[in-house]
Every structure is written in C-alpha cells, then in structure tokens.
Amino acid sequence: NAGVMQNPRHLVRRRGQEARLRCSPMKGHSHVYWYRQLPEEGLKFMVYLQKENIIDESGMPKERFSAEFPKEGPSILRIQQVVRGDSAAYFCASSPGTPLTRPGTQYFGPGTRLTVL
Amino acid sequence: QQQVKQSPQSLIVQKGGISIINCAYENTAFDYFPWYQQFPGKGPALLIAIRPDVSEKKEGRFTISFNKSAKQFSLHIMDSQPGDSATYFCAARGNTGNQFYFGTGTSLTVIP
C-alpha cells in the first residue's frame, strides 16, 4: 500500500505567480488535511477535506489560498499571487474513515517545499 | 494560541540514555494523542499514539505516559540511539475530529 504522495517535492515560484501543490492520499483514505510548516516551527493546520467537500478551512488564509479534493484525482492546494511569506513546507496528510465516523490517525506525505523568489 | 505546548525545544542525550519529551494541553475534549517523528527533509511519521482512557502505552523502546488529570502526556525513548536523532512532535485531536493540533517540536540529538 503506497503512502501519501505529494508532488512536486520542490517548487520555486516568483512573486505574483501561482503555486499548485498536489496530494494523493493513501488507498482507502477519504480524509485529507493540509498543513504548513515554517522553519523551526510546528505544523499549522490549514484545511480538512473529504471527497468533493471542504469540511474545515478555519486555518486557511482568507485570500489567495484555496483547496479542493475532487471525486477523481488528487487533492490540490492552490496559492495565487504568491508572496515571499508563503515560502514554507506544505504537508498533506490522509486518514481513514467515512463521513459518519471520526477520522483516524493521520499519515503524512513527504511535503512540498515552496520557495518564493 | 498554542493548543498543545511542548518542551523542551531541544534535547541532547547520550547513547543508551532516556529521552523524555513533555506536552501539555488545556482542552479536555481532546480525545487522541499521537507522537510523530520527523527527519530533515521528510514528512512526519507516526511513532506511537494513545487515548485518554489509558495511562501508558509502550511499543518497543517508545512509551507514552498520559496523565489525564494533569492534562499532560510525555514520550519516553529508552536506550536512545543516534538513529533516534530527529524532531519529535506531539499532537492532539480536537473534539470535532476535524483538527489535529501539533506541538512546536523537540529536536533530539543522541550523542554516540
């Protein structure tokens, strides 16, 4: 069973460009989470999604950031008009569960390291 | 505000010694407490986890001690090895199940 996949692993963007980060959850997992990790800091929750639904986006900046988890394909975290402060490692995690059960332990992908020049 | 407080920020232990990392929380609705290990350039990997109805859980050299009344939990690494050198994060699952709150991490260095 393959783990959580994220791509690209490294992404360089200039200020004002768009960044698209992809996450494929583990097989059988229906819950996806996105976290941001700044240097020397812990992980900060951004958004929690189930297939085709955003369940909790309370940690997501109100502007420029969006996330989706379509019926088919990976979850996408999109950052528009990137700024230098967006430079960080972005981790995706998935967990098993159904809409009627609580999500279980989260399994993390290797992360995407975004650098904004 | 930081929902889960973790200490120390860094820790140096001799090979064979015991590494102890502590976490504290305020929200009594938290119902699941995992620990993660992260190596440089990698994502966090689940190490061990505990539920609040259990006071201790042991898996190999790793033990979680949980004190529900004090709202504290800790990770003990017995017989620490240089390969254990990594950053360790504690976490807690919120009452809605939607969010996991992470501590700020402890950088562990095990000296040969």
Side-chain angles (χ1 to χ4, degrees):
Chain A
N1 189 10
V4 178
M5 311 280 284
Q6 286 188 253
N7 67 81
R9 295 292 307 276
H10 299 273
L11 182 61
V12 179
R13 285 288 179 266
R14 295 190 181 280
R15 281 180 297 169
Q17 291 184 319
E18 178 180 286
R20 280 187 177 236
L21 288 61
R22 295 175 185 79
C23 168
S24 296
M26 288 179 69
K27 185 178 180 180
H29 286 194
S30 57
H31 302 252
V32 167
Y33 304 76
W34 285 94
Y35 291 86
R36 178 164 59 180
Q37 184 178 37
L38 294 170
E40 310 300 324
E41 292 188 15
L43 296 110
K44 300 294 186 185
F45 168 81
M46 298 182 74
V47 61
Y48 160 47
L49 310 103
Q50 294 178 14
K51 283 285 188 182
E52 299 185 275
N53 288 300
I54 297 175
I55 306 301
D56 184 345
E57 56 182 348
S58 58
M60 194 99 94
K62 293 290 186 279
E63 298 178 352
R64 303 189 296 108
F65 286 73
S66 62
E68 62 177 9
F69 188 15
K71 186 177 180 181
E72 301 291 337
S75 175
I76 306 287
L77 178 67
R78 182 183 178 202
I79 311 172
Q80 295 178 291
Q81 300 174 343
V82 296
V83 300
R84 288 216 173 109
D86 297 332
S87 294
Y90 291 83
F91 290 97
C92 164
S94 72
S95 70
T98 72
L100 297 179
T101 64
R102 296 165 67 79
T105 299
Q106 297 186 352
Y107 297 87
F108 283 82
T112 293
R113 279 147 186 86
L114 172 66
T115 301
V116 179
L117 302 177
Chain B
Q1 72 281 18
Q2 193 69 28
Q3 296 267 1
V4 179
K5 296 181 180 178
Q6 184 172 347
S7 63
Q9 187 175 3
S10 62
L11 181 62
I12 300 174
V13 174
Q14 292 278 354
K15 179 183 175 182
I18 302 173
S19 303
I20 302 175
I21 304 171
N22 301 299
C23 285
Y25 64 97
E26 286 298 325
N27 190 337
T28 56
F30 288 163
D31 67 351
Y32 182 71
F33 302 87
W35 283 88
Y36 287 85
Q37 180 188 56
Q38 185 179 28
F39 293 104
K42 305 292 185 184
L46 178 67
L47 197 59
I48 187 172
I50 198 168
R51 297 187 187 278
D53 54 350
V54 176
S55 61
E56 185 175 282
K57 184 174 181 180
K58 183 176 181 180
E59 290 184 2
R61 296 186 294 111
F62 300 92
T63 300
I64 300 178
S65 296
F66 190 88
N67 187 329
K68 189 174 181 178
S69 60
K71 292 183 284 186
Q72 295 176 347
F73 58 111
S74 59
L75 175 70
H76 296 235
I77 306 174
M78 312 300 287
D79 187 27
S80 298
Q81 299 296 314
D84 297 332
S85 297
T87 300
Y88 293 81
F89 293 96
C90 61
R93 184 171 68 187
N95 56 330
T96 65
N98 291 347
Q99 286 200 28
F100 281 70
Y101 299 90
F102 283 77
T104 50
T106 295
S107 176
L108 171 66
T109 302
V110 181
I111 300 171

